[in-house]
Amino acid sequence: MQSRMPVSLWIGAAGYCTHPEFLTIRGGSLRPVAFPAGFACIRHPQLGPILFDTGYSRRFFAETASLPESLYRYTTPVVYTEQDHAVQQLEQAGVRADEIRYVILSHFHGDHIAAVRDFPQAQFIYLQEAYDAVRGLRSIRAVKAGFLRGLLPEDFEQRSLPFTRQDWNVRYEPGSWSRAVAERQENREPDGDASSGSAQVGDSDDRSRQENQEHLKKHEHDASSKQALMNDSRGYGLQEHQEHQEHQEHQAACYDLFGDGSVLALELSGHAEGMIGLLVVAEEQEYLLCADTVWSSRAFMEDRKPHPAANLIMSNRQQYATNMQRLRAWHLRHPQLRIVPSHCREALDAWGGEWHG
């Protein structure tokens, strides 16, 4: 279920906010700690660099200069300089802002969309239900939802390419994707250059889409593989059905954003309605950019939920708990999966600031 076009991944953060740690993780300290405003850049060999969220920008301060929006700034004090700007960091990483054709938005909180105006050539990809949840909000209701309308450009909707919950078209389980990469590389035609990727860049989008669909179909009907992508269990024997049920619990419905298997989106609502994460493979390593499903890696690694007071800012605390447990189950079952929460300093220190792939 993997494109012949490998992607590269760069992870960074544009500024940070501070919270008492105990609000984000049970047993945490009373002292304020820094939570970086993460973003990521995915370099696609045909589509060029693709941005996932943006972190803060100076516009955040302009939009929170007066009440009621200033409540947002005072609740989550922000530390930011122009050197932190996503545009500045991407330029240092070799990417110009006008090269960004797509900005994928996990959700519409201010610390994730503050710099979208600075990518004038980009179109915006997001789950429609996430935008529907905030687009009609005004004043204090918008602030409670973490939404600052002025951060979005006036032509935001015209430049948008949203998808919906009816569009899920792939089932994903950690581990199956990277094995599919290795399998495809082992079976690559002699003229395919796995190291440079040049053979892939010349392929048409239609050809890539067809190859991906054929590969997905092969996995969907391979009941003997424990990591198969399965849609139903009809016709299986008892053992196969039990295996199917087991793997269904560890799978997620995803949307293949570009039709080539290079970037998968999955819904991780709870912190915010319609929030999505991204699944990518870089250097045969799977990454789950899980946005704000948790505030830190320690949360899912140590099974430490946030303080009950954090429920006040969640769209659905039950969905939050469910998706946090999904991360924990995936981590325990597939510890090689690199799960990257947007606000986790440990993840940023481990994998940020350099290209992978």
Side-chain angles (χ1 to χ4, degrees):
M1 195 245 23
Q2 171 66 22
S3 168
R4 293 177 58 196
M5 298 180 295
V7 300
S8 302
L9 177 65
W10 189 93
I11 300 168
Y16 64 90
C17 68
T18 60
H19 287 292
E21 186 184 43
F22 81 93
L23 289 173
T24 67
I25 189 170
R26 293 283 179 89
S29 170
L30 294 175
R31 65 181 177 83
V33 297
F35 293 91
F39 69 96
C41 186
I42 300 163
R43 190 157 51 192
H44 189 288
Q46 286 191 356
L47 302 176
I50 300 162
L51 200 60
F52 180 55
D53 289 341
T54 71
Y56 288 111
S57 79
R58 64 182 179 278
R59 287 188 181 84
F60 177 84
F61 299 96
E63 293 297 323
T64 57
S66 60
L67 288 169
E69 289 79 13
S70 60
L71 295 173
Y72 191 162
R73 188 200 304 189
Y74 296 135
T75 302
T76 58
V78 174
V79 177
Y80 169 85
T81 68
E82 281 304 299
Q83 288 71 34
D84 297 325
H85 197 296
V87 170
Q88 300 290 337
Q89 295 190 59
L90 290 172
E91 285 183 353
Q92 295 178 10
V95 176
R96 301 191 316 272
D98 60 6
E99 293 181 274
I100 303 288
R101 294 172 56 189
Y102 302 103
V103 176
I104 304 168
L105 300 175
S106 64
H107 60 298
F108 287 86
H109 286 177
D111 53 334
H112 294 258
I113 66 170
V116 294
R117 287 177 176 263
D118 298 312
F119 299 92
Q121 307 303 318
Q123 293 180 284
F124 305 109
I125 300 173
Y126 51 86
L127 186 63
Q128 181 66 52
E129 288 83 352
Y131 186 47
D132 290 344
V134 299
R135 64 189 300 181
L137 300 181
R138 298 290 187 274
S139 188
I140 193 66
R141 292 181 63 213
V143 173
K144 185 177 182 297
F147 179 55
L148 301 170
R149 178 171 300 277
L151 295 176
L152 299 178
E154 288 73 13
D155 60 351
F156 175 77
E157 293 186 10
Q158 289 72 32
R159 291 164 57 189
S160 290
L161 298 171
F163 61 99
T164 74
R165 287 170 176 149
Q166 279 64 52
D167 291 325
W168 306 127
N169 57 7
V170 175
R171 295 205 65 85
Y172 164 82
E173 180 182 353
S176 61
W177 205 2
S178 56
R179 277 194 298 279
V181 175
E183 175 184 328
R184 184 174 285 258
Q185 289 177 342
E186 289 176 3
N187 298 326
R188 191 184 301 279
E189 295 297 325
D191 59 349
D193 184 354
S195 61
S196 68
S198 59
Q200 288 76 44
V201 174
D203 290 349
S204 69
D205 289 342
D206 289 342
R207 181 178 177 184
S208 297
R209 186 186 299 270
Q210 181 180 1
E211 289 177 346
N212 181 58
Q213 290 173 342
E214 290 174 353
H215 195 65
L216 177 59
K217 184 177 180 181
K218 171 183 179 293
H219 278 267
E220 286 175 342
H221 293 281
D222 183 11
S224 64
S225 171
K226 287 183 67 67
Q227 305 299 336
L229 299 172
M230 296 179 291
N231 288 329
D232 59 56
S233 60
R234 290 174 297 178
Y236 294 163
L238 177 60
Q239 179 177 350
E240 289 82 357
H241 177 71
Q242 290 173 339
E243 290 180 356
H244 167 76
Q245 291 292 100
E246 176 186 350
H247 292 301
Q248 284 285 82
E249 294 175 359
H250 295 279
Q251 291 178 349
C254 300
Y255 180 56
D256 185 352
L257 288 180
F258 303 108
D260 60 9
S262 60
V263 182
L264 302 184
L266 75 160
E267 184 174 355
L268 295 168
S269 285
H271 173 79
E273 179 66 18
M275 187 177 74
I276 60 171
L278 296 186
L279 293 151
V280 300
V281 172
E283 294 180 327
E284 301 184 22
Q285 172 65 57
E286 294 183 34
Y287 291 83
L288 169 55
L289 310 179
C290 70
D292 292 3
T293 310
V294 290
W295 278 283
S296 68
S297 299
R298 291 169 60 201
F300 67 81
M301 288 181 176
E302 301 172 15
D303 196 17
R304 296 169 67 181
K305 299 178 177 61
H307 190 277
N311 294 336
L312 296 174
I313 64 169
M314 294 178 185
S315 63
N316 187 307
R317 60 184 181 183
Q318 183 57 54
Q319 287 181 336
Y320 185 95
T322 297
N323 282 314
M324 177 179 162
Q325 288 305 310
R326 172 184 285 180
L327 293 191
R328 178 165 173 78
W330 280 358
H331 168 67
L332 294 175
R333 186 178 174 89
H334 302 280
Q336 75 281 2
L337 174 67
R338 293 182 177 178
I339 300 176
V340 186
S342 291
H343 301 305
C344 181
R345 172 60 62 184
E346 289 79 5
L348 182 65
D349 289 345
W351 305 310
E354 62 180 356
W355 285 104
H356 302 275

